[in-house]
Amino acid sequence: MDLYLSIIADELKKRSFNVITTLFEEQPIKGIRFLSLKQTPLNHYLYFATAEQLKNTPESQWPQHLIVPEAPFSDSLPHAKLNILFLDSSESQLELFSHLQDIFADFESWYQKIQQAMINHADITAILNIASEKLDNPIALFDITNSLIHWSGSFSSDIKGSIWENALENGYTMDYFSYGEWKDLSKKMNSSNTPILSHSKGDDSRSILSCPLKNNGKFIGSLGMTSINTPFTPGQIKLVMIVKDLLETAMIHSTNSFHGSDHVPYYVESLLNGLSVDEKIISFYLNRHGWKINDSYCLLNFSFPMENILFDNFIHPYIGRIKDFFPFGICCPFDDSLIVILNITNYDNPVLSLANILEELYDRFQIQCGISSDFYHFLDLKHYFVQAKSALAEGLNQNPHQAFYYYLDYYQSNLFHKLDSITSIKSLCHPRILKIWEEGDTNQLLLLQTLHAFLLNGRNLTLTANTLTIHRNTLLYRLDKISELLKINLKDLEPDTLFYLLMSCMMIEYC
């Protein structure tokens, strides 16, 4: 396998050599050779040369990668951007050269072992175990939901208080980060193909490494490490990149469930898209959950506390978290949303149970939810997806800091916003009511409020007075005034006129 000078430097240090490196832009190194003036040096080889040789060689002929078995000679350092490793040792050149050959052979054996495991279709966890043999710190593998799949390596210090404690206890690391930290890391993970370093909380001496795994640019998982044993070196980071490339290849061909978390059951997807599905097929799949087609259901639609991130790349970390809270529901992404379908007969007190769960999701992850009305036939799924999505949109607009929003609470505003998207709301309002709303003074607006209450209470004077907490005579006075303004006898209304006035009173605030 190809190595990097920074990896070779780490290995030499482990063998108790004093090493100093001057690294610029590293390139893969295929092997090691002695420098010879008779041959043109190649950039993809590491050349063994003494200080004396280099002093007698024009800088223009120095190779890109050099290892010098002597202390740095600053007076002779080149101006070119080369990668040089100075090795302070009393051993002979042949002994040093043999050490270097052993390093290449050792890594080649390690690489071949991983390749053989992949050829044999070994489990991805077995491949990670082999890969971790060359890493100085333990490594964790997460799926697209940020759930811990496997970890490998050993700890030379206590994990208490570290991100490892969180990962091993909870199976994920999201609780370790604040909202702002998680948001920033998610953006970086989606835009990067290389390891991302950040500081460990409460311990600036440790760093956290997060490395995205991708397939054709699509996020399929991640690697996580912390410098719990030793600090991250350039060589270790290069090794993580080699492991990343190997795991990406292995994961693409793995039978493990790296893609299962974002799978949408075909019968759910078909119903949500308005396609016809045989009722017997639906019943068959629901029976696997212990559900019946005519049970009581509700649908949840979730929001996420991230902005300006492509949905496919950013929704996944939350699927596992939400599934943990709704283990008996059907949880899947659909149409730029994450939905959960619940059979509410599974809950003794569904209203209280849902409220507690959704409050905790909001407190921990800033996830908010729209909730459909209860429905009683699974084939009606599409209508209640629309309800839940509308409840979330209306709720976030009107009350942005709540954990959840019931569709019924936002039915009226949703109805009129839908109407306004088709035609102007003003065109549906009674002209005189619209004029009072737009031009009337405070007293006239109070008359509209009185009319609205009067019509909602079925034109019952006692109920309306109680609703408005005013005297009956005050109510009669106001009704006379509004009758004059509208030029309508409120005591004798045709059904169509009554409906027109009531809807106008309800719609005007959305004009």
Side-chain angles (χ1 to χ4, degrees):
M1 64 170 288
D2 293 349
L3 289 182
Y4 291 86
L5 195 59
S6 55
I7 295 175
I8 296 170
D10 283 349
E11 291 300 307
L12 288 169
K13 289 175 184 177
K14 291 175 185 176
R15 299 182 185 211
S16 300
F17 287 105
N18 294 320
V19 174
I20 298 175
T21 53
T22 302
L23 299 177
F24 290 95
E25 186 176 346
E26 288 192 90
Q27 297 174 355
I29 300 171
K30 293 186 176 297
I32 180 170
R33 294 178 175 180
F34 282 105
L35 183 63
S36 171
L37 292 176
K38 296 179 180 180
Q39 294 179 331
T40 303
L42 302 173
N43 286 342
H44 52 274
Y45 278 90
L46 173 62
Y47 286 87
F48 195 98
T50 64
E52 190 63 32
Q53 274 183 290
L54 294 174
K55 289 176 182 178
N56 296 324
T57 303
E59 287 185 16
S60 60
Q61 296 180 30
W62 285 24
Q64 183 70 36
H65 298 91
L66 275 166
I67 183 163
V68 182
E70 299 171 50
F73 45 102
S74 57
D75 58 323
S76 300
L77 281 178
H79 300 292
K81 293 183 177 181
L82 304 179
N83 301 304
I84 306 176
L85 189 155
F86 296 100
L87 186 61
D88 188 8
S89 172
S90 59
E91 293 191 17
S92 69
Q93 291 188 26
L94 287 177
E95 287 174 324
L96 293 174
F97 194 83
S98 178
H99 280 299
L100 292 167
Q101 287 182 317
D102 288 344
I103 290 172
F104 274 93
D106 187 37
F107 272 94
E108 182 62 31
S109 175
W110 170 77
Y111 192 78
Q112 289 297 328
K113 190 158 64 168
I114 295 177
Q115 295 276 26
Q116 190 60 52
M118 291 168 61
I119 292 171
N120 293 336
H121 302 290
D123 189 272
I124 196 74
T125 58
I127 296 172
L128 187 67
N129 288 340
I130 301 170
S132 68
E133 293 174 2
K134 291 296 182 184
L135 298 172
D136 294 341
N137 293 292
I139 187 168
L141 173 65
F142 299 91
D143 71 4
I144 54 178
T145 75
N146 201 47
S147 295
L148 181 65
I149 294 294
H150 184 66
W151 71 274
S152 190
S154 60
F155 300 98
S156 63
S157 58
D158 189 4
I159 68 170
K160 188 171 180 59
S162 73
I163 194 170
W164 273 106
E165 181 183 26
N166 186 279
L168 297 182
E169 285 188 1
N170 298 328
Y172 54 87
T173 58
M174 288 177 64
D175 286 353
Y176 182 84
F177 298 100
S178 69
Y179 160 55
E181 291 165 341
W182 177 249
K183 176 180 175 181
D184 183 56
L185 179 59
S186 296
K187 286 183 177 180
K188 290 177 180 177
M189 289 272 280
N190 280 284
S191 61
S192 175
N193 289 312
T194 57
I196 299 159
L197 291 176
S198 57
H199 283 297
S200 179
K201 284 187 177 180
D203 187 354
D204 288 340
S205 66
R206 289 179 180 172
S207 300
I208 294 173
L209 180 149
S210 305
C211 184
L213 300 170
K214 298 186 178 180
N215 175 19
N216 292 324
K218 183 178 180 181
F219 185 75
I220 58 173
S222 63
L223 295 173
M225 301 178 72
T226 183
S227 57
I228 195 163
N229 293 344
T230 63
F232 292 124
T233 64
Q236 282 288 299
I237 293 174
K238 287 291 187 184
L239 268 178
V240 170
M241 285 299 295
I242 292 172
V243 171
K244 163 193 162 69
D245 292 340
L246 289 165
L247 287 180
E248 284 179 337
T249 302
M251 288 171 69
I252 292 168
H253 302 290
S254 172
T255 56
N256 281 350
S257 58
F258 286 97
H259 305 283
S261 295
D262 65 347
H263 173 65
V264 186
Y266 94 92
Y267 63 97
V268 170
E269 185 173 24
S270 297
L271 291 176
L272 291 173
N273 282 318
L275 302 177
S276 176
V277 183
D278 191 297
E279 190 168 319
K280 292 180 181 178
I281 295 175
I282 300 293
S283 296
F284 170 78
Y285 283 104
L286 292 182
N287 187 56
R288 292 184 172 183
H289 296 271
W291 297 356
K292 295 179 181 178
I293 203 163
N294 290 315
D295 282 347
S296 298
Y297 296 99
C298 75
L299 188 144
L300 314 181
N301 183 79
F302 288 92
S303 72
F304 303 94
M306 309 282 183
E307 299 97 16
N308 303 320
I309 301 178
L310 290 176
F311 179 80
D312 282 345
N313 290 331
F314 117 88
I315 188 175
H316 301 304
Y318 292 91
I319 297 179
R321 308 293 74 74
I322 291 174
K323 278 189 172 182
D324 289 343
F325 283 88
F326 299 104
F328 304 110
I330 297 174
C331 177
C332 57
F334 178 77
D335 190 30
D336 292 359
S337 297
L338 181 60
I339 64 170
V340 175
I341 304 164
L342 296 178
N343 186 323
I344 58 178
T345 59
N346 292 335
Y347 298 88
D348 293 333
N349 187 335
V351 174
L352 180 60
S353 298
L354 269 182
N356 291 337
I357 291 171
L358 296 175
E359 287 286 359
E360 185 173 354
L361 276 170
Y362 181 59
D363 289 342
R364 290 176 63 180
F365 306 119
Q366 286 73 55
I367 298 175
Q368 293 165 283
C369 179
I371 308 173
S372 76
S373 303
D374 295 351
F375 59 101
Y376 310 102
H377 201 290
F378 199 87
L379 267 65
D380 294 333
L381 196 63
K382 177 182 179 180
H383 310 310
Y384 299 95
F385 168 70
V386 173
Q387 277 196 5
K389 196 166 186 177
S390 298
L392 181 61
E394 294 289 344
L396 289 174
N397 183 54
Q398 296 180 40
N399 303 293
H401 303 298
Q402 288 185 195
F404 55 90
Y405 310 94
Y406 284 104
Y407 178 69
L408 183 60
D409 294 336
Y410 298 92
Y411 173 77
Q412 180 175 313
S413 60
N414 180 57
L415 173 64
F416 294 133
H417 284 144
K418 294 291 186 185
L419 286 172
D420 198 40
S421 67
I422 298 170
T423 183
S424 169
I425 286 287
K426 291 183 178 182
S427 68
L428 302 174
C429 286
H430 190 287
R432 289 196 175 94
I433 288 179
L434 181 63
K435 182 177 178 63
I436 294 170
W437 177 258
E438 292 180 336
E439 301 176 7
D441 56 26
T442 302
N443 289 331
Q444 290 176 327
L445 293 176
L446 181 61
L447 293 178
L448 285 185
Q449 179 187 359
T450 303
L451 173 62
H452 190 189
F454 180 62
L455 297 175
L456 280 178
N457 283 289
R459 291 183 290 175
N460 183 298
L461 293 173
T462 302
L463 287 177
T464 304
N466 290 339
T467 299
L468 297 173
T469 61
I470 59 176
H471 193 274
R472 180 186 176 95
N473 291 337
T474 303
L475 173 61
L476 290 171
Y477 172 78
R478 291 184 186 177
L479 291 176
D480 286 341
K481 285 292 185 180
I482 194 69
S483 293
E484 292 176 13
L485 284 171
L486 299 179
K487 304 186 186 311
I488 289 175
N489 182 2
L490 295 176
K491 298 176 184 178
D492 185 21
L493 292 173
E494 293 292 328
D496 287 345
T497 304
L498 175 63
F499 182 74
Y500 191 16
L501 293 174
L502 176 59
M503 290 297 289
S504 296
C505 288
M506 297 169 67
M507 285 189 289
I508 49 174
E509 62 181 286
Y510 300 100
C511 292

